[in-house]
Amino acid sequence: MKQLNENLGEIVWQFLDVVKTCDNIVFEVVSQHVFDSIGDAGEGTRSHSIFGIIAENDTAIGIYLSKPVYLLIFKQSHDRFNQYLAEKRLQRENSAAAGSVLSAGPLGESVQDELLLTDDVFYATIGLMLTTYEYHTCLNVHELMLKKYIKKHLNDKNYLSIITLLVKELNLLRLLLNSKLSNINKSSSLWLFLKKLYILLYNFDSNYLNYPFIIELILQSCRVHPYNYYAWSFTKWLINFLYYNNDQKLLSLFYTKFNKFSHSHINDNSSWSVLYDLIIPPKSSVVLFTITEYNSILASYNLNSDVFSFPLLPQNYNYRNSLNFQLSYQRIFHEQITWLETFNFNTFIVWNFIKNVLINFEKIYLNPQQLIKDKDKIVHLLQIQPQYQVKFPNNKEIIQATKDLSDFWSKIKDSLKTFESKNQIEIIIKNGYSTNSIDPNTLNNPKKYQNYIYQEDLKKFSNIKKILIWKEKFLE
Amino acid sequence: MAHQQHELTLFKEKHIQYIVNLNTKDKSYEYWLTEHLRMNGLYWGLTALYLLGSQNSLDKEDVISFVLSCKDPVNGGFGAFPKHDGHLLSTLSAIQILATLDSLDVLNEEDINDLVDFIIGLQLPNGSFQGDKYGEIDTRFIYTAISSLSILGKLTKKVVEPSLSFIKDCQNFDGGFGMVPGAESHAAQVFTCLGTLAILDRLDVINDQNLLGWWLSERQVANGGLNGRPEKLPDVCYSWWVLSSLSILNKLSWIDHRKLRQFILHSQDSENGGISDRPDNQVDVYHTLFGIAGLSLMKFENLVAIDPVYCMPIEITKKFRRWPYTE
């Protein structure tokens, strides 16, 4: 690599322009030996001063850093950042010793502190974001500098510069969140930062929000690090936000992409949990939390609420308006059930998902039998909703849809009864999650109680997960 | 990292040495790469030593001096390392360390007021807490805030009532709790919510304790280890998050203790000490603490008794002022 006195954090920042056009990236830190062999890979390989780049397939790019350089980035960034922290502390102590008070600057820190925020400190935070995780002090400074640049360009009304910066920050986050460094890939602080960037771009110019890019960022992160809790939590937040805006087009896009991912990751409870959210709209309390957080994040950037879209108000959301009945029906029946029947597997995750969707769908749209009974009333009610008028041209479709739903739910219950009868067990479905009924007398005798769980004494009491996963052991 | 095949044993002396040696590795990259987690690491190490009956292995004055050097003079909380910003996570660890060393009195009235102001200042109108000014919201931070205030004996109704309301909103239909309303149930979040409810003597807030108990018991997998969510791999740290939650619910017998013990002991490094997330992986002080804490909770290995609510020795927590305060 080049001379050691180059600002490595700055090189990382500039590197983002190299990968911004790639559809899909994976970032990895490897040994020097592996890194050198990448350089020898020949066709499809490009080199950079510190990163190795290799085309992994038509759309994916592998980005590699050797461990020695990775540690060098850390050391250089750590030293510069610690120098900044020391200067800041010294400044305060000197001020206190002199009996003077530091005056507040435009960013909320002292004027003197803000003068210490130079570009090389910014690059040091980038180096630390790459090499450490949950370093709160570093992220606070990085965000402070982002606010500093936004404020400067806002004063000049230079929105394009702000957007350019935000898009570059988004690419930085993609590098981090699509890395194989699991502590960074699943960092709750970084996923929050992604949320902040989304909200800022949404307000400055939502045309720059590339949703396929965001979806691929999430999915790639979850491919590299399955069951990524904070990735999926961010996704849930985003879906709730789309429900609030009643953006059916985007919700459909999300559904298509996440449906495909879930079908190829049948054991990923988190992805199926998100798929559930894409069929059953969130409760009002969940949306209230979503927009409260949105408002709070924007407020922290001191943006003018007259110019930007906040604060958002909770009364604008109504989940009944959000539920697209026909689309939900189609998603449940023609996509999920058909797929499940085709592949005929018995994983708990998928089974649980189907039951949860049906039970809660039932709750939101009343009892299907009730729907059939009051069909004329319900049809009229649905038809007066303008968004349904186009979709439901005649009564027969609605009746058929509700009848299918009712028939299917009956089939589920019948098949459960058959299963119970054949195996002489009782399964109780409660709130969409199957549980069992415990004989209270057994609770006083833990050893006997354990026998209900781990041995074959499942004739009376059982748990559906254990049936599906352990049935080979216990019942066959 | 070989382990004894014929007889499982807890390598107490090895673990003590492993923890004590952590502070001597200041020439290594790993030491500095984790500088921003130092306060948490110190709490994990000190608590593990205490459970192993070796609380005097670290120099008490050095530890107190380090903790006090991490006070953030701007926001009043404690950072993870000197000159780092105060954050709820490192603040709780600092308070826990001082309490464990029976040294909360090193904090004067001004220090305590600063701490209380810092913590309360992070509560939002909906009852949730941010970790710091960065603004991350998570039920972890409700627990760290309430636990900190509880140890300091500074809980108030004004803080408690909204916290309860937010936790209620984080309950899911499967009985578990997520990090925020609508989030997927996760064992660590279950612990933080249950721990908070236990401190506030409000377990009645839970919709269905049996359902939650079942969800937690489902975390045990075939090899005896516990996971945090359905279909995930087991991890030793869930020996704490799940087990302490079951203990709080008075359902500790709902998992197989013998098998969990095996899993934890198989995750030790028999040569250098320390415990990892699962067998044959790299050890770290975080998993060392939670593996030992899990064994203590199950009353194995003749360890010092641990409080499932505070993750601190019961000898220490029995001195805490209990909510609701009567005087």
Side-chain angles (χ1 to χ4, degrees):
Chain A
M1 45 164 283
K2 291 184 183 176
Q3 295 150 10
L4 299 177
N5 58 1
E6 278 195 295
N7 188 329
L8 294 171
E10 185 174 1
I11 291 176
V12 173
W13 183 246
Q14 289 167 352
F15 174 71
L16 298 173
D17 289 331
V18 173
V19 295
K20 67 181 177 188
T21 57
C22 302
D23 285 340
N24 211 337
I25 63 170
V26 173
F27 168 53
E28 197 173 356
V29 175
V30 298
S31 67
Q32 188 67 53
H33 172 73
V34 170
F35 186 83
D36 290 339
S37 67
I38 291 168
D40 295 336
E43 193 177 336
T45 315
R46 284 188 285 157
S47 66
H48 180 271
S49 60
I50 61 173
F51 289 100
I53 305 165
I54 186 163
E56 305 228 326
N57 54 49
D58 285 343
T59 56
I61 298 289
I63 299 166
Y64 298 89
L65 198 59
S66 72
K67 191 159 184 195
V69 172
Y70 171 85
L71 293 175
L72 203 55
I73 291 174
F74 168 72
K75 184 169 185 330
Q76 199 185 71
S77 304
H78 174 269
D79 289 350
R80 180 60 188 98
F81 191 69
N82 273 20
Q83 184 189 358
Y84 156 75
L85 291 178
E87 286 167 356
K88 188 175 160 190
R89 181 62 64 95
L90 186 62
Q91 199 162 257
R92 282 196 173 271
E93 285 167 358
N94 289 343
S95 178
S100 59
V101 174
L102 296 169
S103 46
L107 300 173
E109 304 283 304
S110 73
V111 169
Q112 292 83 346
D113 284 351
E114 288 175 18
L115 288 174
L116 293 174
L117 294 172
T118 52
D119 285 353
D120 55 337
V121 173
F122 179 72
Y123 297 131
T125 64
I126 290 172
L128 288 172
M129 285 164 79
L130 195 74
T131 53
T132 64
Y133 60 95
E134 301 304 319
Y135 190 162
H136 300 121
T137 308
C138 162
L139 287 170
N140 285 340
V141 172
H142 185 87
E143 188 181 27
L144 192 61
M145 298 201 71
L146 180 66
K147 287 179 180 176
K148 178 181 174 182
Y149 292 138
I150 289 176
K151 194 161 188 66
K152 173 175 176 280
H153 292 302
L154 261 182
N155 291 340
D156 303 336
K157 290 197 176 12
N158 189 349
Y159 286 15
L160 189 59
S161 290
I162 295 173
I163 291 166
T164 305
L165 174 64
L166 291 175
V167 170
K168 197 150 179 180
E169 287 278 319
L170 204 54
N171 273 294
L172 171 63
L173 279 188
R174 181 170 70 144
L175 184 71
L176 300 174
L177 297 175
N178 286 170
S179 74
K180 288 194 177 180
L181 303 163
S182 64
N183 284 328
I184 290 177
N185 170 308
K186 57 177 187 169
S187 160
S188 60
S189 301
L190 291 182
W191 283 101
L192 172 60
F193 200 22
L194 180 63
K195 190 185 291 180
K196 293 183 181 191
L197 291 178
Y198 172 86
I199 291 171
L200 288 169
L201 275 167
Y202 180 83
N203 277 273
F204 279 105
D205 192 340
S206 60
N207 292 321
Y208 282 89
L209 275 175
N210 183 339
Y211 283 95
F213 173 92
I214 292 172
I215 290 171
E216 195 48 42
L217 190 161
I218 296 167
L219 291 179
Q220 182 65 347
S221 189
C222 295
R223 285 184 202 109
V224 173
H225 190 99
Y227 314 92
N228 189 329
Y229 187 74
Y230 292 105
W232 290 116
S233 291
F234 165 76
T235 311
K236 281 173 173 275
W237 180 91
L238 190 48
I239 288 168
N240 294 337
F241 188 67
L242 295 177
Y243 269 114
Y244 174 83
N245 289 326
N246 203 15
D247 196 327
Q248 293 292 336
K249 188 177 166 200
L250 275 176
L251 284 167
S252 281
L253 172 66
F254 272 64
Y255 176 80
T256 304
K257 296 284 187 181
F258 289 112
N259 186 46
K260 187 179 173 189
F261 182 90
S262 294
H263 284 188
S264 58
H265 294 77
I266 58 173
N267 285 326
D268 193 327
N269 191 61
S270 304
S271 90
W272 284 91
S273 171
V274 161
L275 199 61
Y276 170 91
D277 289 350
L278 284 163
I279 297 175
I280 303 294
K283 296 186 292 190
S284 300
S285 62
V286 171
V287 172
L288 174 62
F289 175 77
T290 303
I291 61 175
T292 302
E293 202 180 7
Y294 169 97
N295 291 335
S296 171
I297 286 171
L298 269 185
S300 75
Y301 276 77
N302 288 318
L303 300 176
N304 187 336
S305 60
D306 292 336
V307 176
F308 297 100
S309 309
F310 84 105
L312 299 178
L313 303 172
Q315 54 264 31
N316 291 344
Y317 174 73
N318 182 323
Y319 75 77
R320 287 185 187 274
N321 288 339
S322 292
L323 180 64
N324 181 327
F325 178 84
Q326 189 180 39
L327 193 61
S328 296
Y329 158 75
Q330 179 189 329
R331 282 174 184 174
I332 299 166
F333 283 89
H334 296 297
E335 300 193 31
Q336 304 306 338
I337 307 299
T338 309
W339 170 78
L340 189 70
E341 285 173 342
T342 307
F343 288 96
N344 192 31
F345 50 82
N346 61 2
T347 68
F348 168 73
I349 304 277
V350 179
W351 173 260
N352 201 40
F353 161 82
I354 297 292
K355 278 203 293 84
N356 293 340
V357 165
L358 286 173
I359 287 170
N360 288 294
F361 186 70
E362 195 178 50
K363 276 186 198 165
I364 290 171
Y365 260 90
L366 309 173
N367 187 310
Q369 283 89 355
Q370 189 66 38
L371 268 173
I372 292 169
K373 259 192 216 173
D374 298 333
K375 58 178 186 284
D376 291 333
K377 226 189 305 180
I378 300 300
V379 162
H380 176 70
L381 194 66
L382 289 173
Q383 282 187 326
I384 63 173
Q385 299 293 323
Q387 64 267 38
Y388 297 137
Q389 281 173 4
V390 173
K391 293 182 177 70
F392 299 108
N394 57 61
N395 290 352
K396 282 183 190 171
E397 266 192 42
I398 295 169
I399 299 306
Q400 190 57 48
T402 55
K403 191 169 183 311
D404 285 349
L405 178 65
S406 171
D407 282 350
F408 184 77
W409 183 231
S410 298
K411 275 187 200 166
I412 291 276
K413 285 180 182 168
D414 286 345
S415 70
L416 275 174
K417 279 199 176 358
T418 306
F419 189 84
E420 283 172 322
S421 169
K422 182 182 167 191
N423 297 291
Q424 294 180 3
I425 52 176
E426 180 187 3
I427 300 171
I428 299 162
I429 298 176
K430 185 174 176 182
N431 291 340
Y433 184 95
S434 59
T435 182
N436 61 356
S437 177
I438 307 293
D439 178 352
N441 293 328
T442 68
L443 292 176
N444 296 325
N445 187 339
K447 194 172 175 187
K448 187 179 174 190
Y449 178 78
Q450 274 190 319
N451 289 343
Y452 280 116
I453 304 171
Y454 294 103
Q455 293 180 18
E456 285 187 327
D457 192 6
L458 292 172
K459 290 192 168 48
K460 286 186 187 173
F461 307 112
S462 183
N463 178 288
I464 199 164
K465 176 205 175 185
K466 291 173 177 58
I467 289 176
L468 292 177
I469 294 173
W470 294 343
K471 68 186 174 99
E472 298 86 18
K473 184 179 171 188
F474 292 112
L475 298 171
E476 288 175 0
Chain B
M1 285 176 236
H3 51 258
Q4 308 254 356
Q5 296 290 338
H6 53 277
E7 189 183 319
L8 287 175
T9 184
L10 179 68
F11 302 115
K12 284 188 182 177
E13 288 309 315
K14 297 272 186 188
H15 297 322
I16 291 169
Q17 213 47 54
Y18 164 74
I19 295 168
V20 169
N21 283 346
L22 285 172
N23 211 37
T24 62
K25 295 187 189 312
D26 57 344
K27 297 286 182 285
S28 73
Y29 265 113
E30 283 68 29
Y31 182 86
W32 295 106
L33 276 163
T34 54
E35 169 189 290
H36 61 287
L37 300 171
R38 191 72 72 239
M39 188 69 80
N40 302 121
L42 186 53
Y43 154 71
W44 296 326
L46 178 67
T47 308
L49 286 172
Y50 203 114
L51 299 180
L52 290 165
S54 188
Q55 56 268 37
N56 298 322
S57 294
L58 296 180
D59 185 284
K60 180 176 171 178
E61 294 310 316
D62 281 353
V63 171
I64 293 173
S65 174
F66 172 79
V67 169
L68 294 178
S69 73
C70 295
K71 180 169 173 180
D72 182 342
V74 175
N75 68 22
F78 283 96
F81 200 77
K83 304 189 193 67
H84 285 209
D85 293 345
H87 190 282
L88 269 184
L89 291 175
S90 38
T91 295
L92 173 62
S93 289
I95 293 171
Q96 286 174 307
I97 290 166
L98 293 178
T100 302
L101 295 175
D102 197 20
S103 299
L104 279 172
D105 55 0
V106 302
L107 300 172
N108 59 32
E109 192 180 334
E110 188 183 339
D111 292 326
I112 295 192
N113 289 341
D114 286 346
L115 274 170
V116 172
D117 287 346
F118 167 68
I119 295 167
I120 290 174
L122 289 166
Q123 187 170 36
L124 298 176
N126 62 10
S128 65
F129 278 85
Q130 300 173 320
D132 67 352
K133 63 186 175 186
Y134 185 69
E136 189 184 349
I137 299 170
D138 190 318
T139 44
R140 285 181 292 156
F141 303 135
I142 294 191
Y143 174 78
T144 49
I146 296 293
S147 185
S148 297
L149 292 172
S150 170
I151 298 171
L152 294 173
K154 296 290 185 184
L155 287 166
T156 60
K157 226 173 162 179
K158 200 174 167 193
V159 168
V160 164
E161 294 301 318
S163 301
L164 288 171
S165 171
F166 187 78
I167 287 179
K168 272 188 214 174
D169 281 344
C170 293
Q171 285 189 93
N172 293 322
F173 60 78
D174 59 6
F177 290 83
M179 62 181 257
V180 292
E184 185 191 357
S185 296
H186 187 297
Q189 317 298 147
V190 168
F191 167 74
T192 56
C193 290
L194 282 191
T196 305
L197 294 176
I199 290 172
L200 301 179
D201 197 25
R202 289 299 307 272
L203 290 175
D204 59 290
V205 159
I206 302 167
N207 287 336
D208 187 332
Q209 292 197 18
N210 271 351
L211 186 60
L212 176 54
W214 270 112
W215 189 89
L216 288 165
S217 76
E218 293 265 286
R219 297 306 109 237
Q220 188 159 39
V221 299
N223 69 4
L226 306 178
N227 64 22
R229 283 173 283 156
E231 302 304 319
K232 286 211 72 182
L233 287 176
D235 185 319
V236 159
C237 68
Y238 292 106
S239 309
W240 179 254
W241 309 124
V242 173
L243 214 52
S244 54
S245 299
L246 283 169
S247 178
I248 291 169
L249 293 174
N250 213 18
K251 292 170 172 34
L252 199 51
S253 62
W254 283 31
I255 62 129
D256 187 325
H257 291 189
R258 188 186 55 85
K259 289 209 79 173
L260 177 57
R261 172 181 178 266
Q262 279 179 344
F263 179 79
I264 296 171
L265 295 182
H266 276 308
S267 303
Q268 299 176 99
D269 181 346
S270 59
E271 288 171 31
N272 302 307
I275 299 176
S276 61
D277 57 351
R278 59 188 72 91
D280 300 327
N281 276 359
Q282 180 106 21
V283 304
D284 58 61
V285 67
Y286 169 87
H287 289 98
T288 302
L289 166 63
F290 292 121
I292 291 170
L295 291 170
S296 168
L297 211 49
M298 293 187 288
K299 299 194 183 351
F300 286 129
E301 319 303 331
N302 206 24
L303 296 164
V304 170
I306 190 160
D307 186 322
V309 174
Y310 292 94
C311 195
M312 295 170 69
I314 288 179
E315 284 166 31
I316 303 296
T317 63
K318 67 184 181 190
K319 302 174 204 167
F320 295 166
R321 201 174 162 208
R322 300 291 168 184
W323 180 264
Y325 302 148
T326 50
E327 75 281 0

